Amino acid sequence: QVQLVESGGGLVQAGGSLRLSCAASGGLFSINAMGWYRQAPGKQRELVATITGGLRTNYADSVKGRFTISRDNYKNTVYLQMNSLKPEDTAVYYCNANIGKPPLWVGESHWGQGTQVTVSS
């Protein structure tokens, strides 16, 4: 029932910036941790950044200092600000959220369908 929809992907030149958004919707739920993952052709999906409900953040070494994850709980949305983009950042970026639903509020993992980010050299 809960859906995650990503937006903000596109084509950008090396050194440029993009801001990804992921909005959750669909009934009564609570969002715990949220994160961004990416998958390039021929590679496994990898963690990019996570943010907890307490706003503690974690980043992959490859993006540390360039990307910033944030969230707006009133809008049920997580963002990924990507600066100083490199060609190796090219991938499909997926939103993930741990979401609890009544009656037990046990957290389950939910995924968006992804948004393409392409960085040209």
Side-chain angles (χ1 to χ4, degrees):
Q1 187 66 35
V2 176
Q3 293 183 329
L4 303 177
V5 180
E6 302 99 334
S7 62
L11 175 64
V12 65
Q13 294 183 7
S17 298
L18 286 173
R19 190 191 190 199
L20 306 183
S21 299
C22 173
S25 63
L28 179 63
F29 59 86
S30 65
I31 304 177
N32 304 307
M34 305 185 76
W36 288 95
Y37 295 71
R38 67 187 182 187
Q39 187 167 24
K43 296 186 177 181
Q44 292 185 318
R45 187 173 299 185
E46 64 176 353
L47 184 147
V48 177
T50 60
I51 183 167
T52 68
L55 303 183
R56 185 172 69 253
T57 59
N58 184 57
Y59 298 92
D61 289 340
S62 59
V63 307
K64 195 171 298 182
R66 299 187 297 121
F67 292 8
T68 302
I69 189 171
S70 61
R71 63 192 291 172
D72 184 336
N73 291 333
Y74 289 161
K75 297 181 179 180
N76 295 320
T77 300
V78 63
Y79 305 94
L80 185 68
Q81 178 67 47
M82 305 185 294
N83 298 326
S84 302
L85 283 162
K86 304 175 180 180
E88 51 262 45
D89 295 318
T90 296
V92 177
Y93 283 70
Y94 296 91
C95 175
N96 177 267
N98 184 274
I99 297 176
K101 294 182 288 185
L104 299 180
W105 300 99
V106 177
E108 295 183 347
S109 182
H110 292 259
W111 292 92
Q113 293 193 349
T115 184
Q116 177 70 47
V117 172
T118 302
V119 184
S120 62
S121 60

